[in-house]
C-alpha cells in the first residue's frame, strides 16, 4: 500500500500531526493508500514556503514560465498511462475514460496555457498626450481546492494558469482522490521546479481546506466543488477580501426539439447523462423532450442505456464503472427512492444489478444507469444535483415551456439543445440561464472560451483570458510626456 506525503517547500513530508487517512478503491472497497491528515500547521508551512518562493517565480518572464509549462506537459505525457490507471483506481471510472479524458486533458491543460501565454501581447491604451501600459502580475500565493470527479483534469486546469501568471500554489485535492495530485507533485519535483512554487497538502476539506481558506498569506482561492461547500468558501474568504473563483454544481438540461436528428440526439443525450456515471458537473441530468418525438426518442434512449457495459473499471470495454464511494452510492439511491415515492417510473436501472458483468464485486459502488419518467420538472429529483447515473425525463410542447422548465432550478452551469434549425437553437440557448449551452453536441471544449456558471453554479469564469485575469493582479501605468512611445 502506498504511503503518500504532502509536498511542501520541495520536500515530501508527513502531516505535522503524524495522522493519516485511508484512500479506498470504490470498485473493491480495498485500501489503496494512506494520505497525511493535514491541518493548519501544515498549511502554515506550505503558505510560508510559497510566499518565499513567489517573488523569484514572478520575476521570470511569461515566456520562461510558459517553457516550464511545456516541460510539465512533456513529463505528464510520458506518464499518461500511469495517470489514467491511478485515476481509474481512485475514482472507479472506466480506464478508457480515464485515458481519453482525464489523462489527456491534464496534459493538454499545461500545453494549452503554455501556448496561450506566448500569444499574449502587451495591452496599451494611447491618449493624445500619454500612453497607458497595462501590467499583469501574479496575485501572490493562491489556494487551489478541487473535487474528486475529475481529479488531475481539474487541478491542472488551475495549476497551469496559476503558474503561468507568476503565482505560488498551495493545492488540496479531494481526500478521496489523492493519487494523481501526488503524481503531479512527483513530476514537478523531478523537473526541479523551484522549491516552494508548488505545494500540496492532503487531508479533509473542513480541516486542511478550511485552513487554506483562512490563511492570511493566501490571497486568492480557486475552488471547484459543490454549491454548499462553495457557500462556506465564500463566507470565509470574502471578508478577508481574497480574490475568489467558484466553480460549483449543476443540474443541466438536455433539450431535444421536434426536428432533431434523433440518432445523434440519442447518442449525445446518453453521453451527456452518463459520462463518468453522471459525475461531471456538466452532465445533462434532465432530459427535456418535445412531446411529438418523446416516445420515439425514449424508446431508443432506453435501449441504448440498457446496452451500456457496466463493470470492472480496469477492463477496456467497460463504459460505466462505479460511483465515487459507497456513501455516495447511498445518497444517489436515496434520490431514486424519493423519485419512486413521488410517483416516478423507473424505465431502466435504479438497482445495483449489473449488465454485461465483467467482474464487479459486492463491495463495489456500482449502480446501473437509471432513467426516470413521470416526475414534475419541479420535483426534488429534477431540481437538486444528484451527481450520479440518474436522469429524469420531462416533455414540453412549446419553446417557452422548454425555457421555463430548463430555468426551474437554482443552478445554471450548462445545457445542450438538439435541433436541425440552428437559428432556433441559438435563440433558445439565449433564453437558458446557464454559463454554457452546446447545440448538437455536449462537452465540446475550446479552452480559450469562458467557463463557469450563473446563479448558484458559480462566481467568475475560468478558461483562456479569464484564467489569466483571475490568476493575476492587473495594474495600469499611465505615462505622460513627449517620449511616451518609448515607455
Ligand atoms: P465538495 O464541495 O464536497 O468538495 C470539493 C473540495 O472542497 C474537496 O477538495 C473538499 O475536500 C473540499 N472541501 C470540503 N469542505 C471544505 C471546507 N470547509 N473548506 C475548504 N474546502 C473544503 O465537492 P465534491 O468533491 O463532492 O465534488 C462534487 C461537486 O463538485 C459537485 O457538486 C459538482 O457539480 C461540483 N463540480 C463543479 C465543477 C465546475 O466546474 N463547476 C466541476 C466538477 C465538479 P474533501 O473531499 O476532503 O471533503
Amino acid at each position: 500500500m502506498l504511503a503518500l506525503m504532502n509536498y511542501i517547500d520541495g520536500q515530501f513530508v508527513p502531516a505535522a500531526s503524524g495522522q493519516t487517512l485511508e484512500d479506498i478503491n470504490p470498485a473493491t472497497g480495498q485500501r489503496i493508500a494512506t494520505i497525511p491528515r493535514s491541518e493548519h500547521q501544515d498549511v502554515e508551512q506550505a503558505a510560508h514556503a510559497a510566499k518565499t518562493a513567489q517573488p523569484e517565480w514572478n520575476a521570470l518572464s511569461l515566456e520562461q514560465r510558459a517553457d516550464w509549462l511545456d516541460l510539465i506537459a512533456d513529463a505528464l505525457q510520458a506518464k499518461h498511462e500511469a495517470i489514467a490507471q491511478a485515476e481509474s483506481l481512485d475514482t472507479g471510472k472506466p480506464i478508457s475514460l480515464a485515458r481519453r479524458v482525464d489523462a489527456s486533458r491534464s496534459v493538454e491543460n499545461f500545453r494549452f496555457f503554455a501556448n496561450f501565454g506566448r500569444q499574449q501581447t502587451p495591452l496599451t491604451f494611447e491618449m493624445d498626450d500619454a500612453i497607458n501600459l497595462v501590467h499583469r502580475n501574479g496575485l501572490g500565493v493562491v489556494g487551489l481546492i478541487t473535487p474528486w470527479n475529475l481529479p488531475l483534469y481539474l487541478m491542472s486546469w488551475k495549476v497551469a494558469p496559476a503558474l503561468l501568471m507568476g503565482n505560488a500554489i498551495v493545492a488540496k485535492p479531494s481526500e478521496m482522490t489523492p493519487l494523481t495530485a501526488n503524481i503531479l507533485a512527483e513530476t514537478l519535483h523531478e523537473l526541479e521546479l523551484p522549491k516552494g512554487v508548488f505545494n500540496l497538502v492532503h487531508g479533509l476539506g473542513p480541516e486542511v481546506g478550511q485552513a487554506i481558506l483562512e490563511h492570511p498569506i493566501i490571497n486568492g482561492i480557486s475552488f471547484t466543488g459543490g454549491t454548499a461547500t462553495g457557500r462556506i468558501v465564500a463566507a470565509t474568504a470574502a471578508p478577508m477580501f481574497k480574490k475568489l473563483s467558484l466553480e460549483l454544481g449543476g443540474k443541466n438540461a438536455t433539450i431535444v426539439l421536434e426536428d432533431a436528428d434523433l440518432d445523434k440526439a440519442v447518442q449525445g443525450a446518453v453521453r451527456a447523462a452518463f459520462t463518468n456515471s453522471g459525475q461531471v458537473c456538466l452532465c445533462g441530468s434532465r432530459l427535456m423532450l418535445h412531446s411529438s418525438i418523446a416516445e420515439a426518442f425514449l424508446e431508443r434512449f432506453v435501449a441504448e442505456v440498457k446496452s451500456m457495459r457496466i463493470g470492472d473499471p480496469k477492463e477496456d470495454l467497460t463504459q460505466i464503472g462505479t460511483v465515487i464511494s459507497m456513501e455516495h452510492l447511498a445518497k444517489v439511491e436515496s434520490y431514486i427512492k424519493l423519485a419512486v415515492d413521488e410517483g416516478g417510473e423507473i424505465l431502466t436501472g435504479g438497482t445495483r444489478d449489473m449488465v454485461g458483468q465483467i467482474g464487479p464485486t459486492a463491495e463495489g459502488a456500482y449502480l446501473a444507469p437509471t432513467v426516470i419518467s413521470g416526475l414534475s420538472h419541479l420535483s426534488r429529483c429534477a431540481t437538486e444535483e444528484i451527481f450520479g447515473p440518474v436522469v429524469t425525463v420531462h416533455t414540453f410542447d412549446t419553446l417557452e415551456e422548454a425555457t421555463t422548465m430548463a430555468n426551474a432550478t437554482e443552478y445554471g452551469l450548462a445545457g445542450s439543445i438538439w435541433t436541425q434549425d440552428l437559428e432556433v437553437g441559438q435563440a433558445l440557448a439565449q433564453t437558458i440561464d446557464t454559463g454554457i449551452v452546446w447545440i448538437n453536441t455536449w462537452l465540446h471544449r475550446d479552452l480559450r472560451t469562458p467557463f463557469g456558471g450563473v446563479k448558484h453554479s458559480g462566481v467568475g469564469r475560468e478558461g483562456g483570458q479569464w484564467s489569466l485575469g483571475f490568476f493575476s493582479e492587473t495594474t495600469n501605468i499611465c505615462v505622460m510626456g513627449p517620449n511616451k512611445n518609448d515607455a
Side-chain angles (χ1 to χ4, degrees), residues 446-470:
D446 179 331
L447 302 186
R448 294 169 301 180
T449 58
F451 180 91
V454 305
K455 301 197 288 189
H456 291 188
S457 285
V459 177
R461 295 289 178 269
E462 295 188 2
Q465 287 296 349
W466 292 269
S467 289
L468 304 199
F470 176 76

Side-chain angles (χ1 to χ4, degrees), residues 52-254:
T52 307
Q54 195 264 342
E56 215 167 303
W57 180 251
N58 193 44
L60 297 180
S61 67
L62 196 71
E63 180 73 32
Q64 286 171 311
R65 292 193 298 264
D67 290 346
W68 268 105
L69 297 196
D70 267 334
L71 285 177
I72 298 167
D74 293 342
L76 291 178
Q77 179 63 49
K79 298 181 182 180
H80 187 277
E81 182 60 19
I83 292 168
Q85 294 287 348
E87 219 66 294
S88 174
L89 196 66
D90 243 358
T91 59
K93 69 177 67 186
I95 184 65
S96 58
L97 181 71
R99 287 187 185 119
R100 193 173 69 248
V101 175
D102 296 78
S104 298
R105 179 62 191 278
S106 301
V107 174
E108 194 189 343
N109 284 338
F110 284 100
R111 192 75 73 203
F112 166 76
F113 278 109
N115 293 332
F116 195 69
R118 291 194 190 97
Q119 288 161 13
Q120 300 304 303
T121 48
L123 188 57
T124 58
F125 296 95
E126 284 221 39
M127 303 166 77
D128 289 343
D129 54 355
I131 185 165
N132 292 281
L133 309 165
V134 178
H135 290 263
R136 286 194 294 201
N137 277 310
L139 280 179
V141 180
V142 290
L144 311 181
I145 301 179
T146 46
W148 46 259
N149 63 331
L150 296 161
L152 190 57
Y153 172 131
L154 289 173
M155 181 172 278
S156 55
W157 178 237
K158 299 178 189 302
V159 169
L163 289 180
L164 180 72
M165 298 316 286
N167 300 281
I169 292 167
V170 178
K172 185 202 108 55
S174 167
E175 96 280 359
M176 284 185 278
T177 54
L179 294 182
T180 50
N182 181 63
I183 292 179
L184 177 63
E186 285 176 348
T187 305
L188 300 180
H189 189 68
E190 287 154 14
L191 291 172
E192 297 180 8
L193 185 80
K195 65 178 190 165
V197 171
F198 175 83
N199 303 277
L200 182 68
V201 280
H202 292 281
L204 298 170
E207 296 177 358
V208 68
Q210 190 69 28
I212 290 174
L213 301 180
E214 289 171 2
H215 202 286
I217 283 179
I218 298 175
N219 42 15
I221 301 283
S222 175
F223 170 85
T224 298
T227 295
T229 318
R231 263 192 205 101
I232 299 172
V233 175
T236 310
M240 300 174 80
F241 302 112
K242 295 187 185 213
K243 205 167 174 186
L244 266 183
S245 171
L246 300 174
E247 303 284 352
L248 309 177
K251 186 74 182 177
N252 313 297
T254 300

